[in-house]
Amino acid sequence: MKALAFFLLMFFVLSGAVPEEPLPEQDSTGSGLFQILVRMAGSEIRPWAKPIENVDMERMLELFESGIITFHTADWYAEKDDIGE
Amino acid sequence: MSNRVQCVLCPHLCILSPGERGRCSVRLNVDGELVSLVYGRPVAVHVDPVEKKPLFHFLPGIDVFSIATAGCNLRCEFCQNWEISQAAPEDVTPYDLPPEAVVEQAISYNCDAIAYTYTEPVVYFEYTRDTAKLAKEAGLKNILVTAGYINQGPLTELAEYIDAVNVDLKSMKDSYYRDICGGTLQPVLDTITTLKELGTWVEVTNLIVPTLNDDSRELDELARWILENTGADTPLHFSRFFPMYRLTDLAPTSVSTLQSARERALEIGLHHVYVGNAVTEDGMVTACPNCNEVLIRRQGYLIEENRIINGKCFSCSSPVAGVWNGMEEQ
C-alpha cells in the first residue's frame, strides 16, 4: 500500500500534475497594474468573502426612480480602469 | 474601454464591471461610475444612550441619534443586525433622510451626538462623512461603531470629523476573520492604531463566541495587544454572544467565561475592562485605576452614579481616561 502511494506521489510530481494554485504573477492573461489588482481582488482568491454580484440594472433604475435607492457618486475612493484608452 | 471600477474604500478592493456591486452590496458600478445606493437612505433610526454603543468613557449619559443603512462588507455568522447588515438596499424599506435632516432631527430630539452604527458605517462612507461634517459644524459629536475593515486613506479622512469610535475586534486570529466574518485581521488592527494615533477616542469590543474565540489564550492575547498598541487606558468590552443568524446552534456565552476574561485582562494591565450583554456584579462599573474607588455605576444603560469630577477621581484626583462632560479628552 505504501509503495503504491509512493509510486502515485512520484508520478504526480514528475509529471507536474500536482495541483497547485498559480501565483498572481504567473497568470499570463492581461497586463498592467489594473490586471494585477483584478487578480488580487478577484472573487476566485477570496472565497471566504461575500461574492461580487451582478444586478438587474433595469430593476435598479426603477428603484432609483422610486427613491428606494440612490445613485450618489462615490468616486472619491474609486480607481477607474483605463485599459484600452 | 471596459468601464471597470475598483472601489478602494475597504480592503476587499472590489473590482466591478458595469452592473456589478461590491461585497458590501451597496456600492454599484453604473456605466463606469461608482455610486452609493444608500446615501441618505437609512433603514434604522433610533435615539440610544451612548452606553449602548458601547462607549463608557465618552460623555456618559448623553443621548445619541443613531442611524444605519443596509449593507456590510463583512458577513459575520453571529451578526445581531443581520436583517439589515446582510440585506441588499432594495430589500429593506428606507427612510428618506439626507445629512441635513439627520442633523436637524438629532437636535430636535435633544441628542448631543450622532452615531453611525448597527450595520457598518464604512460602506455608507459618503453619507457618514457628509453628515458628520454638518453635525460637527452644528456642535454635535460624531460616533462611529465599526468593525474597522477600512483602508487607511478613507479612515484618515473620516476621522477628521469623528470624536469617538467603538471598534469591534472580533478575534486575534486571521482564520477566524476569514472563516466566520469574511474579512481579514490586519486592517482592523491598523484601524485601531491609526485612530489612536489621530487622537480619536477609541474603545474596543470583543464578542466572545463559545467554542469559536473563547480560548483564554486568545482572549489574553487580545488584551495584551490592546495594552501594547493603544495603552492601558483603552476600555475593552467583552460582550456576551446570544444565538443569532447562522450560529443558532451555539449556547450563549457563559457569564463565568466573560468574568474570567475580564479579570485576566485587568491582571494583564488594562485599566478598564467591562462585560456587556450580561448581568454581573462589577462588569459595568468604572473604577479609578489608582485608588480603585467606584467612579461610575451603571444599571443596564443607565448611569446610577457618576463620581468623576472634572475628568478626575472624586477621591484621589487622579485623571480618568476619556472624554467627560465639560472636559477635554484626558
Side-chain angles (χ1 to χ4, degrees):
Chain A
M1 195 64 189
K2 282 183 182 173
L4 178 63
F6 179 75
F7 172 78
L8 288 172
L9 178 64
M10 290 306 293
F11 172 78
F12 283 126
V13 169
L14 292 173
S15 66
V18 175
E20 184 179 270
E21 187 180 5
L23 294 170
E25 59 269 26
Q26 292 172 323
D27 185 348
S28 61
T29 58
S31 61
L33 179 61
F34 197 86
Q35 283 298 320
I36 292 169
L37 292 173
V38 167
R39 290 195 295 273
M40 285 175 67
S43 297
E44 69 279 6
I45 61 164
R46 288 196 165 221
W48 37 265
K50 284 198 285 190
I52 289 169
E53 58 177 30
N54 262 301
V55 300
D56 177 347
M57 279 307 290
E58 277 187 25
R59 183 168 179 236
M60 298 308 275
L61 284 167
E62 287 172 10
L63 291 163
F64 169 66
E65 284 165 8
S66 66
I68 299 292
I69 62 170
T70 62
F71 283 174
H72 187 90
T73 184
D75 60 359
W76 192 255
Y77 288 106
E79 304 284 344
K80 292 190 179 177
D81 181 5
D82 58 0
I83 293 170
E85 279 189 324
Chain B
M1 185 162 173
S2 67
N3 274 340
R4 282 183 298 184
V5 171
Q6 182 174 39
C7 178
V8 295
L9 180 59
C10 93
H12 283 314
L13 298 171
C14 296
I15 292 177
L16 308 171
S17 295
E20 286 185 335
R21 62 176 158 199
R23 292 178 166 92
C24 59
S25 85
V26 300
R27 302 171 78 78
L28 172 70
N29 180 341
V30 179
D31 297 332
E33 298 292 329
L34 189 66
V35 301
S36 167
L37 301 174
V38 293
Y39 188 94
R41 296 291 186 276
V43 294
V45 180
H46 302 285
V47 174
D48 293 329
V50 70
E51 284 74 20
K52 191 178 176 184
K53 301 300 124 193
L55 286 172
F56 281 10
H57 289 234
F58 185 79
L59 304 175
I62 64 167
D63 281 335
V64 179
F65 195 78
S66 304
I67 58 172
T69 74
C72 184
N73 50 354
L74 299 180
R75 52 157 185 80
C76 304
E77 295 181 4
F78 47 75
C79 184
Q80 295 174 46
N81 295 318
W82 63 272
E83 292 100 331
I84 51 177
S85 74
Q86 301 305 308
E90 64 269 28
D91 295 333
V92 194
T93 307
Y95 300 92
D96 181 2
L97 211 62
E100 300 80 10
V102 175
V103 174
E104 282 170 17
Q105 290 215 14
I107 292 168
S108 73
Y109 280 96
N110 293 318
C111 294
D112 295 302
I114 295 172
Y116 312 89
T117 178
Y118 305 132
T119 56
E120 178 48 70
V122 165
V123 306
Y124 54 93
F125 178 87
E126 292 77 13
Y127 185 37
T128 300
R129 178 195 59 197
D130 293 355
T131 307
K133 195 173 178 182
L134 288 176
K136 189 173 184 179
E137 287 168 8
L140 298 173
K141 302 292 186 188
N142 289 296
I143 293 168
L144 209 60
V145 182
T146 177
Y149 203 59
I150 182 173
N151 287 330
Q152 292 288 294
L155 173 67
T156 304
E157 185 193 346
L158 195 56
E160 189 180 333
Y161 308 107
I162 301 297
D163 299 284
V165 182
N166 187 298
V167 182
D168 188 7
L169 178 54
K170 296 165 192 294
S171 168
M172 290 303 288
K173 288 185 178 168
D174 194 63
S175 59
Y176 181 93
Y177 265 91
R178 287 172 190 255
D179 297 343
I180 308 296
C181 305
T184 50
L185 169 64
Q186 190 58 48
V188 182
L189 300 179
D190 293 342
T191 290
I192 294 171
T193 50
T194 297
L195 287 170
K196 201 74 186 176
E197 285 165 14
L198 291 171
T200 311
W201 178 253
V202 177
E203 303 192 18
V204 175
T205 292
N206 174 249
L207 181 77
I208 302 181
V209 184
T211 73
L212 295 182
N213 69 347
D214 61 344
D215 183 272
S216 59
R217 285 165 298 186
E218 186 185 345
L219 296 173
D220 292 353
E221 185 187 351
L222 188 143
R224 268 193 293 274
W225 186 90
I226 292 171
L227 177 70
E228 289 165 8
N229 291 276
T230 69
D233 284 328
T234 300
L236 170 60
H237 303 257
F238 284 119
S239 190
R240 190 183 194 192
F241 161 85
F242 285 98
M244 196 69 73
Y245 192 33
R246 291 179 172 161
L247 290 183
T248 51
D249 55 338
L250 292 180
T253 320
S254 71
V255 174
S256 63
T257 298
L258 293 156
Q259 283 179 315
S260 170
R262 175 176 182 267
E263 284 160 15
R264 289 198 313 277
L266 288 168
E267 282 172 16
I268 283 167
L270 293 181
H271 291 162
H272 306 286
V273 186
Y274 301 101
V275 169
N277 288 343
V279 178
T280 57
E281 191 178 334
D282 49 8
M284 295 184 81
V285 165
T286 298
C288 174
N290 182 50
C291 69
N292 213 33
E293 282 281 358
V294 170
L295 298 176
I296 303 178
R297 197 182 296 280
R298 302 170 182 85
Q299 182 68 41
Y301 299 131
L302 296 176
I303 303 290
E304 282 190 334
E305 186 178 29
N306 183 351
R307 300 197 287 182
I308 294 176
I309 301 170
N310 295 327
K312 294 177 180 174
C313 170
F314 79 98
S315 176
C316 71
S317 296
S318 293
V320 184
V323 180
W324 310 106
N325 307 73
M327 291 289 298
E328 293 299 312
E329 189 173 317
Q330 300 299 302

